[in-house]
Amino acid sequence: MPTLEEEIRRLMAEGTAGLHAAPDLAGRVVRSTRERRRRVRIAAVAASVAACVVVTPAVAFFTIGTTPTAGERSTFATAPEPPAIDDTPPMPSAPPSLGDLGDGREFGRMKVGYLPDGLEWSGRSADWGDTYQVTYAYRGDEKGSYRLVIMVYEGSAVQEVEQRITAYRDEADGKAVTVGGRSGYLVVQHVGEDGMKGTPTLFLRTSDSQWAEIGFSPVYAAEYSGAEAVNAELLRIGQGLTSTL
């Protein structure tokens, strides 16, 4: 009589006798395993590429094989923003001054013999080389303001003055004058359309290669009784100018 263990083995053998392993079972198992591994690798690469595109677009181009076309680059990366453009014009630098002029009666190659009462050198001057100027004001005037300005033109800058005078003469604006035997021109410059009175000015030829431009501020000119009085004072200042060229 068979034992219990022998009976169990017999029944298991009979139950599995009709079952046969498919001939390609081993190959399919191997291929299935390889396929799963391949899918895992592809998913991992895709994830890493996505991360590269988000964080550093340029890296993705060198981690997935061939060099991308221009269209592919535009798909994966955004062009960098152009640098900001500062369209603010640069501020002009202040010209050099003529230095300490003392009482301001002599500057550059010019001497000032007469100043209207109460006016003194403002402490300000500017030197552009062949053109330079000095301003005069009342003591205690606001810094930067002026009452009288004397500008001197020399060398090639003389041509500019002569062209301006010619333009005024052609427009019948102002009048020619003679001051101590020297030719000059009286005119009101910079008359504004908004009602500004303009700048009463005397141009004076102080030497063969030098001109002076003497101008009153509109505020200062208003202190005089009228245009005739202003012109008389301008001519007096011009009479006192002496060139040291």
Side-chain angles (χ1 to χ4, degrees), residues 32-171:
S32 176
T33 301
R34 289 176 178 171
E35 181 65 21
R36 284 197 300 271
R37 289 176 181 171
R38 189 178 68 84
R39 286 198 297 267
V40 169
R41 285 198 303 271
I42 291 174
V45 171
S48 64
V49 170
C52 291
V53 170
V54 172
V55 179
T56 52
V59 175
F61 300 152
F62 299 97
T63 58
I64 58 176
T66 59
T67 303
T69 64
E72 290 170 340
R73 285 197 296 270
S74 64
T75 300
F76 287 101
T78 302
E81 297 228 349
I85 298 175
D86 184 3
D87 58 359
T88 304
M91 295 298 292
S93 57
S97 72
L98 294 169
D100 185 0
L101 301 177
D103 61 2
R105 294 297 187 109
E106 185 172 355
F107 60 95
R109 286 157 291 278
M110 184 66 67
K111 289 183 178 181
V112 181
Y114 168 76
L115 283 176
D117 290 341
L119 295 189
E120 60 183 30
W121 179 43
S122 67
R124 292 177 296 280
S125 63
D127 182 11
W128 294 276
D130 56 3
T131 305
Y132 49 93
Q133 73 173 29
V134 168
T135 60
Y136 302 86
Y138 288 131
R139 185 184 299 273
D141 274 354
E142 183 180 353
K143 185 177 180 179
S145 63
Y146 79 99
R147 305 285 172 161
L148 166 68
V149 58
I150 300 177
M151 183 173 289
V152 180
Y153 301 85
E154 297 173 356
S156 59
V158 166
Q159 184 178 2
E160 175 200 337
V161 178
E162 293 173 344
Q163 289 174 344
R164 288 164 63 190
I165 293 173
T166 298
Y168 286 132
R169 185 181 287 113
D170 291 345
E171 296 173 2

